[in-house]
Amino acid sequence: MIDINLLRTHLQDVVTSLKTRGFVFDNQFFLEIESKRKNIQIKTQEVQQERNSLSKEIGILKSKGEDASQTLEKVAQISSLSKQLESDLNEVQELLTNYLLQIPNLPHSSVPVGSDEKSNVIVKTEGKIKSYDFPVMDHVDIGELIGLDFEVSTKISGSRFSLMKGDLARLHRAIGQFMLDMHTENHGYTECYTPYLVNDQSLLGTGQLPKFGDDLFMTKKSDNENLYLIPTSEVPLTNTVRDLIISEDDLPIKLTAHTPCFRSEAGSYGKDTRGMIRQHQFDKVEMVQITKPEDSYKALEEMLGHAENILNELELPYQVVTLSSGDMGFGAAKTYDIEVWLPSQNQYREISSISNCESFQARRLKARYKNHDGKNELVHTLNGSGLAVGRTMVAILENNQDKNGNVHIPRVLQKYMAGKEIIYSKK
RNA sequence: GGAAGGGUGGAUGAGUGGUUUAAAUCGCACGCCUGGAAAGCGUGUUCAGGUUUUAUGGCCUGACGCGGGUUCGAAUCCCGCCCCUUCCGCCA
């Protein structure tokens, strides 16, 4: 949620900024509803004040044993007026916050302006793309030779799920373990185990609700309560600080978790239907940082470095792009995507997304810290994949294949695979 | 799932319809005292919002788990829900 005071004081700037990310701000609606809110609120508070003082008078009169019927009569009218105004005020305020919840975050000044991914800017390209003297297979063809079985997963659950067996399943586990170990042992994150089902308050806090409910899998807890499968562990990790006032000494908070993620991919029919690129269920190791406002952009660079370290260790070629204003997610002020090289597609594909949400989520979460002046100030929240496990495995299969369809296990993963160096194909 | 008890400012905890402006204690901050400290004494110490002010601030509204209701007036009474504790049942 963006700061309503910004809308009151710098409306035009906000409108212009939002336009760069394709959001059309309803100026007239806002001004209308805001002035209505102001009028009703002032009037409501006046009436409440009068009611309170008259009610107090009644109390005093009665305690003295005097007759209060005249005052009672007077306050009866005021009281019903007050009720009416209170409900009017509620209505207007609900309208206003509902609108505010729909508004995406403002892009940071360093974000390239553009309407879609075509305006993304490549920051750097790392690693050497191998050349292959044989026709490369994609990960589905390789996978089928070493334990990837979409026929079975389709039978069990339908499309966009996968089932792995044997060394491949172990490789998948090894990747997650390795990433988690890197973040906890070398990057200073605290490992977390989190719920995979979360309530709607949590999703409202991180911005998936109310606007993107269609992308979530929902379960029913009871007649009047639903729980949602997490689309990313950003949700539980970031919500750890909801409704908290954190002491300055405890910042930054750096959390990581390896969890499955569940997405209905409602708006992506026909995209990446083959293979493991776009699934309803996938594993991801997530990094989350909670920082002081002045530290958040330093933290963003740091997190990018942490994700890059993983790819460097795995010896996978990648590039880093800064997302343009129109390509960023709802809550982000600035986002870096890391894209890994996939030989079968002859292009880089997203494997990580690292965002600074500034105070956007913190405002929804009521996540604050006590600054050195003793004032409560909203924290900044950042999240990033470090990395998507399934897509990392895809990249390893494709980049490390040989002409016999064997997959060479990256050196850093071998200790997680009992020293195994190659997964041999059944070809 | 069943039964009982509970949820009040940073902590403990009092408060069963009206001077509650949420007591008291602890903690914390500042001041006095002191060579310095402790003790003691004094003062202060929640959040959100509105409005006004150059500003410190002032005035006002709301918040006692959440949401409704009754009432001129609700922390207090009524209804629904959530969470916690203990016991029972089930279960890994």
Side-chain angles (χ1 to χ4, degrees):
Chain A
M1 198 152 68
I2 59 176
D3 187 355
I4 190 165
N5 284 316
L6 214 55
L7 287 168
R8 289 176 185 148
T9 54
H10 297 84
L11 183 58
Q12 258 329 304
D13 295 344
V14 174
V15 171
T16 309
S17 173
L18 286 173
K19 196 174 274 174
T20 69
R21 46 183 309 164
F23 184 86
V24 180
F25 186 86
D26 193 340
N27 237 326
Q28 202 182 343
F29 172 80
F30 173 75
L31 289 172
E32 202 173 290
I33 211 82
E34 170 62 7
S35 88
K36 206 165 160 190
R37 196 258 331 147
K38 194 165 167 174
N39 287 334
I40 296 176
Q41 184 159 354
I42 291 170
K43 204 155 162 198
T44 305
Q45 294 191 352
E46 277 171 10
V47 172
Q48 281 171 333
Q49 185 183 349
E50 185 161 7
R51 182 203 62 197
N52 288 348
S53 72
L54 285 175
S55 289
K56 193 179 276 179
E57 257 175 55
I58 293 170
I60 294 167
L61 286 174
K62 285 203 169 170
S63 73
K64 287 182 188 158
E66 290 174 24
D67 175 41
S69 58
Q70 243 182 346
T71 316
L72 266 168
E73 212 171 292
K74 208 156 93 186
V75 80
Q77 294 170 15
I78 291 172
S79 184
S80 76
L81 175 63
S82 161
K83 287 235 162 82
Q84 182 58 48
L85 285 167
E86 277 165 34
S87 85
D88 289 353
L89 183 62
N90 270 339
E91 206 175 297
V92 175
Q93 260 164 348
E94 205 171 304
L95 223 57
L96 198 58
T97 40
N98 281 345
Y99 188 60
L100 290 177
L101 287 172
Q102 311 276 335
I103 302 170
N105 202 0
L106 303 173
H108 186 254
S109 57
S110 65
V111 168
V113 172
S115 56
D116 53 36
E117 75 275 2
K118 289 190 209 91
S119 305
N120 295 349
V121 172
I122 297 171
V123 177
K124 61 165 122 174
T125 305
E126 296 282 339
K128 195 167 181 282
I129 293 169
K130 292 178 201 160
S131 56
Y132 302 88
D133 54 3
F134 54 90
V136 292
M137 289 189 280
D138 78 356
H139 72 277
V140 179
D141 292 335
I142 304 165
E144 272 168 7
L145 300 169
I146 57 176
L148 182 59
D149 194 335
F150 285 113
E151 227 168 275
V152 173
S153 62
T154 303
K155 174 177 71 184
I156 299 168
S157 303
S159 66
R160 295 199 191 278
F161 289 92
S162 50
L163 187 132
M164 295 171 257
K165 278 183 174 173
D167 284 342
L168 188 65
R170 183 160 188 179
L171 176 65
H172 186 263
R173 173 160 61 94
I175 293 167
Q177 295 276 43
F178 161 69
M179 290 175 180
L180 205 50
D181 286 350
M182 278 282 282
H183 294 317
T184 56
E185 289 166 18
N186 302 328
H187 300 154
Y189 291 81
T190 302
E191 178 173 351
C192 295
Y193 172 83
T194 77
Y196 303 154
L197 290 164
V198 296
N199 57 34
D200 48 10
Q201 260 306 304
S202 296
L203 290 156
L204 199 80
T206 36
Q208 284 80 12
L209 288 179
K211 231 180 165 177
F212 307 102
D214 284 353
D215 297 333
L216 302 166
F217 285 106
M218 188 175 81
T219 65
K220 201 179 174 88
K221 188 190 180 193
S222 65
D223 285 345
N224 44 32
E225 210 179 347
N226 295 319
L227 290 174
Y228 299 80
L229 285 156
I230 54 171
T232 158
S233 45
E234 168 200 345
V235 177
L237 290 179
T238 308
N239 270 278
T240 55
V241 296
R242 169 147 59 90
D243 295 322
L244 290 189
I245 297 172
I246 302 156
S247 97
E248 193 175 1
D249 302 339
D250 293 336
L251 296 176
I253 295 172
K254 298 167 74 173
L255 305 174
T256 186
H258 171 201
T259 72
C261 303
F262 303 91
R263 299 188 183 174
S264 84
E265 299 289 352
S268 60
Y269 293 112
K271 256 191 213 167
D272 299 309
T273 46
R274 180 175 162 87
M276 287 184 70
I277 298 286
R278 194 175 298 273
Q279 302 264 285
H280 286 316
Q281 173 188 325
F282 61 95
D283 275 27
K284 183 155 61 73
V285 174
E286 184 77 3
M287 306 175 281
V288 159
Q289 289 206 30
I290 314 295
T291 73
K292 291 192 261 182
E294 62 267 31
D295 296 339
S296 67
Y297 278 93
K298 196 184 71 200
L300 181 67
E301 299 300 321
E302 183 186 303
M303 288 169 76
L304 174 61
H306 295 158
E308 283 186 71
N309 286 345
I310 303 279
L311 285 164
N312 288 330
E313 290 287 307
L314 292 171
E315 300 176 78
L316 291 168
Y318 64 91
Q319 67 177 19
V320 177
V321 303
T322 307
L323 294 194
S324 75
S325 53
D327 199 28
M328 282 196 300
F330 184 69
K334 181 170 185 175
T335 300
Y336 290 118
D337 268 12
I338 303 179
E339 300 174 338
V340 71
W341 179 254
L342 292 188
S344 73
Q345 300 191 9
N346 204 41
Q347 62 170 335
Y348 290 99
R349 292 298 308 263
E350 179 188 343
I351 196 169
S352 171
S353 191
I354 301 157
S355 301
N356 185 355
C357 297
E358 299 187 358
S359 59
F360 185 86
Q361 292 179 325
R363 190 167 291 108
R364 293 166 165 244
L365 294 161
K366 294 188 183 63
R368 294 164 295 177
Y369 81 105
K370 214 170 258 305
N371 68 19
H372 50 276
D373 298 327
K375 285 252 186 271
N376 296 333
E377 197 179 339
L378 293 168
V379 295
H380 280 193
T381 62
L382 301 96
N383 63 79
S385 5
L387 313 162
V389 174
R391 287 188 183 181
T392 302
M393 196 181 79
V394 167
I396 290 171
L397 297 191
E398 295 202 2
N399 281 282
N400 293 8
Q401 63 182 301
D402 65 21
K403 62 175 188 290
N404 298 316
N406 304 324
V407 173
H408 296 250
I409 299 166
R411 191 186 38 80
V412 291
L413 295 183
Q414 289 170 9
K415 69 169 174 178
Y416 296 95
M417 305 273 303
K420 192 175 271 254
E421 292 171 19
I422 295 174
I423 300 178
Y424 288 101
S425 140
K426 288 175 233 158
K427 193 157 123 181

